[in-house]
Structures are given as C-alpha cells and as structure tokens.
Amino acid sequence: VEHGWEQRSVPPDTAVPFARVDLSHVPADGQQAALEQAAAEWQTTLDITNGPLARVVHFELAPGRASRVLVIVHHLAVDGISWRILLEDLQQAYLAQSTGSGAALPSTSSSFADWAESLARHADSQSLAREIDYWDADAAETPSSLPVDVARPASENTEASAKVVTTALTVEETRRLLHDVPAAYRTQINDALLAALTDTISSWTGDDAILLDLEGHGRELAGDDLDMSRTVGWFTAVFPLRLDRRGRSDTGDLLKSVKEQLRAVPNHGMGYGVLRYCSGDEAVRQRLSGLPRPQMIFNYLGQFGQLLPKSSLFRLANESIGPTHDPRGERRYLLDVRAGVYADRLEIDWTYSTNVHTQATIDALAQRYLDRLRTLIDHCRSPHAGAYTPSDFPLAGLDRRELDELLSGATGVEDVYPLAPLQGGMLFHALHASGATSYCMQVTCTLDGALDIDAFENAWRDVMQRHAALRTSFPIGHGRDGLQIVWRSAELPFHVEDWRLVREVERSTRLDTFRAEDRQRAFDLSRPPLFRLALLRVADERYECIWTYHHLILDGWSAYTVLKEVFATYSFLRGMSTDRPLPARPYSDYIAALGANDLAGAESFWRHSLRGFTKPTSLEPGDGSMGLASNGGGEQASGTYGEGRLSFTPEDSAALEQLARAHRLTMNSLAHGAWSLVLNHLDGSGDVMFGATVTGRPPELTGVESMVGVFINTLPVRVRIRHDMPLSEWLAGLQREQAERHPFEHTPLSKIQEWSELSGRRSLFESILVFENFPIDFSLHQRHGGLNISNVRSSIDEHYPIIVVVEPSPCLSIHIKYDRARLAPGTIAELLKGFESVLRSALADIHAPVQEVEADVRRTLAEDRGGVHRERQDSNRRKLSSMRGATRSQPLGEPTSQVSDGADDP
C-alpha cells in the first residue's frame, strides 16, 4: 500500500479454498508424474494481495492407493513450528467430523497480532538499544567473499538456476551427534553444526572468519505475558553472524569458541530484525541496513521425524510438492545450507546456482562438511574431550581463565552463580570466625510408627535432586569466594543408630549430647552436601531424627519446605499418597533477579536513611535508670548462649492480633515498636538501631514460595523515638518506613555498612529481631506415610549478643538468646518484662503518647525490681531464721517469663 507493507486478517469464518482432483483414471505408471504436475500448477495459485494465502487440494488416486492431500500455505503466514500445530489440529478436526463427536480443537495461545504489537513496543526500548553496538562491532573486519566458479552478474543468480546437493550422516552418526556431542561441552546442536561449517568454509575461502545469515524460529522475544506455543504465523528471525576460528586449530577449542560466540548473540539474534525494520530511529535503521551483506545462510530445521507422531492418521508423502519459488525470482544468497533430521538421519541440503558454481565444487564442499562433522563427533566421544565454558554459567561472570581455575578439571557441575546478600556475609564470617562450626543449624523431630528406613532415605535423595541448594558447595580461595557451585549429584550423608538398649533415664542426656556434638562438627564448605542426617532408633516404633545443615544453603522457610517435601515424598514412595511434590523453580532464577536490582538506588536510599547515625545502640545501661547489668567480668566464654522466653495466653495473643488489624498494623510493626522502646531504655539516645530479618522472597517471582535456598537478609532498622506522638501514629510511621525499605531489602549488609557514617569496622547493630512469619506447616505434626511427626524444633543462629525471635502463632511468644559473656540472666528477664509492658500498654490504650508507654515500662520494671529485692531480703531472713530454729515464708507469684543461663538446653 502507499505507506508500506500491511497485513490484514479476514473474518475467522472465511473458508480455506478446497479442491478435489480425480487422478484415478490415470494409468498407475503415470500417476506420480500427473500428481507432481498438478501440484506444481496449484503452487502458483496463491495471491498475497487478494488471497488466498492458503489452499488445500485432495487428490484421488487409483483404487487401493491412499489418497494425497496437498496443503499449501504461503511462507508469510506459517513457519516450521506452525506446521506441527496445523497438522495436529487437522487430525483432531478430521476425527471430530468423521465420528460426529464435535470435539473442540485445542485452544490457541496468544495471537500473532499481540506478538507483532509486542515487537513494536520493544523496538525502541532501552534494552534493545544496547544491542546496536554489538551488531556492527565487526563491520570493519568483513571476511573474504565466497569463491565463485563463474563470474556472473547478481541478476543471474535466479531460482530457475538453483540446484540442490544433499548429503547425510548415517543413523548411528546422527544419534551420536544429537546425544554424545552435547554431553562433552554442554553444547547445542547448532554449536556443533556451525563449528563444522566454520571449519569447512574458512578452509575454502582461506580466511579465519566466515560471515553468514543465521535463521532461527524467532519466538524468543515474546514478552512474559505472551504464550506463542500454539500460535500459527511466520516468526522466523534472520540475523548476520560472524564466526572466527582464529587460533582454534584443535577441534575441541573450535567447538568451544563457536559455542561462546553464539552465546554472545543477544536475544538469540531476534533484536537485529526488530532494530533494522521496526526502530523509530531512522539512523539506527540505516546503520544496520548498511552492514556487510552475507553471501550464505544456514538454518537447522530440527527433527522432522517428530512433525507427525507415529499415532498420526497422516504421513508425509514421497511425491514432489512442486516448486515453492517463482523461477524468475532472484536468489538472495550464493549458498543456502539447510539441515534437518529426517527418518533419524541428519540431511544437509546445499542450494546453489548453476550460473555461479559447478556441481563438483558444491559436492566437494558438502563432502568436506560431512568429514568435519565426523571428526567433531569422534573427538567428543574420546575420553579426553569435555570442558566447561563461561557461557555455561552466565550468572557467574567468569572469563575462560577464571573458570578453568575455579573448576580445575571438575566434572558433574550443574551451575555456578553468585551468592545471595546474606550468604556473602555468612561466608565471610564462617571463613574468619574463630570457631569452624559457625552457622551450623539443626532441626530435630520425633517419628512414631513403622518407619521404612529405605523409603525415608530415598525420599531425602529425591528432594536433594529436586533442589540445587542441597547439592551446593562454596569454593574457597582462587579469589572467587563470592560464588557457589551446584553439582549434578551428591552423596546423601545418612547415619542410623539403634538405641533401643539405652536405658530411658540415660537417653535424654545422650540425645542432648549427640545433638550438641553434631552441631559442633564442621562442614567442609567446598564439598557438597552441606547437611547430614542422623536417625536414632529409641524404640521399636520410635525414632529421633536429627537434621544438621549449614545456614549457607537454607533459611528457615526453606528448611520447613524441605521437610514438608521429604514427608510428602515418603508418603508417595510408600504408596499412601498419589501426590508427589512437583519440581520447584530453580534458585538460580532468584540470583538472576537479584542481579537486576538497582544498586545505585539502594546506595542513595541507605545513605539517606543512615545519615547522622554515628554510634551503635548500646546494650549496656546508659544512666542506670533501668538498673540493667551485664556480666561485665566476662565470666563466661564468648559465644556461649543462654535464653529466655516470654509467652502470652491465647486470649491475649488474639487480642493483640485484633488490635493490630483494627489499626491496619502488622504484628511485625508491633514487635518493632516494642523492641525499639526497650532498646531506648538501655541506650537513652532517642535514636536506636537494631537488625531485622526480611524473608527476601520477591512476590513478583512466580513460584518463589516453593523455592529452596537462602532468601532472608538482615537489614538495619533505625527508629527515632517520638515521645509526644500517639503510640498508634508512631507505629504506623514505623510500618510506612518498613514499606519504604522493601525495594532495597536485597542490599548486602556489607554494602550498607560501607555507606554508613560509622567509623572503622564497628557493627551497625548488636541485636537483631527475627519475626518468624514464614508459613510453618503445622501438618508436619500430623501423620505422613503412617508416621506421626511430633516435637519438631529448630536451633537459632547465634552471631549477635542478643537475638530476639518473635513467634506470632499459635500463641505470641518472644524468645531471646543472649551471649552470656555480655549479659546476665537478670538483664534478659527485664528486657522481656519491658517488651511485655509495651504490648500490654498498647492493649490498654494504643492512642496514648509514647512517653506514657515508656513511663509504664519504667514503673513495671521498678515494681519488678522491688519484688526481686524483697524476695532476696525474705530469703536472707529465712536463712537467718533457719539458723535460729525459726521459719518464715512468703508465697511468690508465677513469673511471666523464663530465663536460662544456658547450662541446660531447654
């Protein structure tokens, strides 16, 4: 049309022209010729301007011979993948008509128009603009032209002069090409085919590089909201590709080099055509249209034995379909090389012009290509073949030398990618901490029932194969401590002991000792898996299961996900359930999403958030107003922990949840506010900071809730105490600040530390608040595969002087673990009292000024200290009275909290 090319869709009820041709009267020995002549005539009947673009012709042959159906569709309307869809639908429609069932055809996916509009939107995007420099980077180094046998004008390279030379590998050679070659260097079929082609053409031209157009199916650029799997249309993408074999005389090196050059092509080459033809910037279109024009094209069409399944009513006919190009048309390329697998054999068609090349030249070229393919196949099957290349692990960001140094000839590597933010901090501390058992976590549970140990072990193996985190190690040294390696497999560390002869009175102590010693056994971070299992049989149908793992591979949410899947798989393997956990989204997708985060924006946010904070919040009493005392003298070794717990009744817990909902607050915000006020009583600055863990699972990452790995992060929370503000408004402000931190919650703590104004290597905070909001599945405490699972408990990571764990369900509880070298049990008891006082003040009047809540805390602690002081006086009097033969006593009220100095493990 006047403004350019345009395509229109006719109404969906428009019939495809259908014709019947009766050749049954033609003698048997002439039917093939008649059929092919008729097919050639029908091929000329398509009209791209007025239609039709599709036509179906049914040929009736002699009695007893199967009829033929010629389906003609213009290439403007279909590509190779479209044929598979059309033939599948044709069979289903035919069956529905012949049986009268009226069965509906499979639903279509996104429309071709949606795809075209998506390309138009993408054409001027920033991401695509970054590709422009790639496409003309090698323009100055144009490879030599292809040799010709006859110097002819381009106009004589016509379709009429085209001829095809076809060669093929054997069935066995094809099998090796498709199955053995990819295993050696983690290649795809195109890598091998193009490596052999580069070797063949460069030997012919005498140039180390070749330039060709590469044709692909072109469906890669569909947006996340588009599904093109069952869309019929012409999606084919063609883009120029320069392949260089310089310095790659070895077959393996050449294959790896071509593989890397192909992986470097952005978006599978799809962006080239979009930029050249659809960009709104005329300069961009001209820049790309001016690039050197390749003289050959290559296309691998796939395995056409799969075009029609064995169960199909149809099969491909042997007769010619007739010419698919107008003989008067001018050919675009000197060589058109197309490969595909037909009847289990790789066939390669070399289409050339007899006006330009002799058949002898093309025969020799085609034979040389087969020889190169066979050499490549033999090399990949040899014992010394095989290596990884940087494109195998694109997230790792390694060059060839770094990758070789990291893996050093290792085999069985599945993936390599960077650490998540918290993993980076944990690995640093694990490598530099004085104890080798840093970050060893543990989950224990009791199993009652007739346990099938083999099925239980296999369930763990199954889950280990499903999740990469359970097969991950962390390379130490090589300057690459910021990476993790996923292995294809790892040996399951499964230990079983029989304790049925151990006396019951000894069993508890022995179990505690076993658990403690197992936690003290260090992991070798460079060898997977970083977890181990122990199954202790304490009775005929009772087992204690101890699962110890390194925090580097799992967070709490993930640990419970693994346990849930293990017991579900156990039930399935025992035949007691038909549900088997589905494969989860790989952890590498989360790592890739992290890589797209805006670190510059995060730096700006955290610098602003921490501005003016130059002194960490103290855990020591400031003015003595609370009377808190540390252990001071360091009587206990650093790193030994005691704990205290405060629990609310179900009624009070429900009341707090209802209060939070009524004022559009979360229980997490209530906990943040309570801990901030308690810390301010210690510090007295009115500006406190503590660490808080976040789940780190981005909701926009589909399937993130079932992914396994380390997602949590620890972030600084800075809170300014607004004494004259109503508690409800102040808490709402904390919640808003929490929401503002959300886009930057994946920032590594080490980076935040760098951006802060604290001098030296001082930590931003000495206490962390952990709000356990991951969905612990309480079905773990029910029966699975004939087992009753109970007494599930887990350890808490201990790397700060104070760790406050808030568990909201089923009853609110506050659990404090503390370093006994820094803090005394009495201090922790008062911290718990202060926490409780804030929450009870909120229940009494959430609109009261913050300063009144603080006053309530002071009164509560003063009364509590007075009660403790009187208790001590009464104890002394009782001792004196006892000495004098007299006894005096006074009943005490029940405490609301329990504190342990760590001598016993509660």
Side-chain angles (χ1 to χ4, degrees), residues 67 131 145 149 273 292 460 526 657 678 758:
S67 59
E131 294 186 15
S145 299
D149 295 327
W460 275 99
S526 65
E657 289 182 5
V678 170
L758 263 67

Side-chain angles (χ1 to χ4, degrees), residues 580-649:
R580 190 172 197 166
L582 297 174
R585 189 166 184 172
Y587 184 61
S588 58
D589 285 359
Y590 167 72
I591 298 296
L594 288 182
N597 287 337
D598 178 17
L599 206 58
E603 180 177 359
S604 176
F605 171 83
W606 287 112
R607 285 190 183 276
H608 176 77
S609 178
L610 302 178
R611 185 175 299 147
F613 194 87
T614 58
K615 180 184 176 184
T617 299
S618 176
L619 296 182
E620 310 298 336
D623 57 7
S625 60
M626 285 185 70
L628 297 174
S630 73
N631 258 357
E635 299 168 359
Q636 304 286 347
S638 180
T640 58
Y641 279 73
E643 57 185 313
R645 182 182 291 271
L646 166 70
S647 296
F648 284 79
T649 64

Side-chain angles (χ1 to χ4, degrees), residues 138 141 198 202 207-210 241-248 253-254 257-258 261:
D138 296 325
E141 297 184 61
T198 301
S202 64
D207 198 325
D208 281 330
I210 69 170
L241 179 66
R242 184 180 185 274
L243 294 173
D244 196 331
R245 60 156 297 153
R246 189 174 300 137
R248 309 291 182 183
D253 282 344
L254 175 61
S257 175
V258 169
Q261 292 176 71

Side-chain angles (χ1 to χ4, degrees), residues 630-799:
S630 73
N631 258 357
E635 299 168 359
Q636 304 286 347
S638 180
T640 58
Y641 279 73
E643 57 185 313
R645 182 182 291 271
L646 166 70
S647 296
F648 284 79
T649 64
E651 294 76 18
D652 285 345
S653 301
L656 282 167
E657 289 182 5
Q658 185 177 359
L659 177 74
R661 283 196 301 270
H663 293 86
R664 297 186 176 182
L665 297 171
T666 64
M667 291 295 288
N668 196 359
S669 299
L670 284 179
H672 274 58
W675 187 239
S676 300
L677 293 178
V678 170
L679 279 182
N680 192 53
H681 278 291
L682 284 173
D683 183 77
S685 66
D687 186 1
V688 299
M689 188 179 294
F690 56 93
T693 59
V694 292
T695 61
R697 293 176 181 254
E700 62 273 13
L701 196 61
T702 305
V704 71
E705 65 282 347
S706 61
M707 293 169 69
V708 163
V710 176
F711 297 84
I712 62 170
N713 197 12
T714 303
L715 300 173
V717 177
R718 184 181 185 181
V719 179
R720 296 172 176 85
I721 311 300
R722 308 298 186 189
H723 303 287
D724 56 347
M725 185 179 287
L727 180 63
S728 56
E729 292 184 21
W730 180 67
L731 291 172
L734 296 186
Q735 187 161 291
R736 284 193 299 273
E737 291 171 6
Q738 192 174 7
E740 290 167 2
R741 285 192 297 271
H742 177 72
F744 310 104
E745 67 180 18
H746 299 103
T747 312
L749 183 58
S750 59
K751 286 290 184 184
I752 300 175
Q753 182 86 33
E754 289 177 16
W755 300 330
S756 74
E757 297 177 13
L758 263 67
S759 59
R761 299 175 62 86
R762 302 174 70 187
S763 176
L764 279 167
F765 45 82
E766 292 192 304
S767 69
I768 63 169
L769 179 68
V770 181
F771 190 85
E772 296 284 29
N773 61 347
F774 60 84
I776 296 178
D777 191 341
F778 288 98
S779 67
L780 281 179
H781 299 270
Q782 300 168 8
R783 292 186 69 83
H784 291 268
L787 295 177
N788 186 64
I789 304 152
S790 62
N791 202 21
V792 181
R793 51 207 185 278
S794 59
S795 60
I796 299 171
D797 193 19
E798 303 158 349
H799 288 280

Side-chain angles (χ1 to χ4, degrees), residues 24 177 251 297 352 370 429 431 433 489 555 608 644 778 792 864:
S24 60
L177 175 68
T251 301
I297 187 170
Y352 66 101
L370 278 188
H429 286 109
L431 295 178
S489 62
D555 57 22
H608 176 77
F778 288 98
V792 181
D864 191 60

Side-chain angles (χ1 to χ4, degrees), residues 815-829:
H815 185 196
I816 296 183
K817 297 206 80 171
Y818 63 97
D819 187 344
R820 292 189 292 129
R822 293 282 307 274
L823 298 151
T827 301
I828 302 306

Side-chain angles (χ1 to χ4, degrees), residues 72-83:
I72 308 171
V73 187
H74 200 283
H75 202 354
L76 282 169
V78 291
D79 56 12
I81 294 176
S82 296
W83 278 114

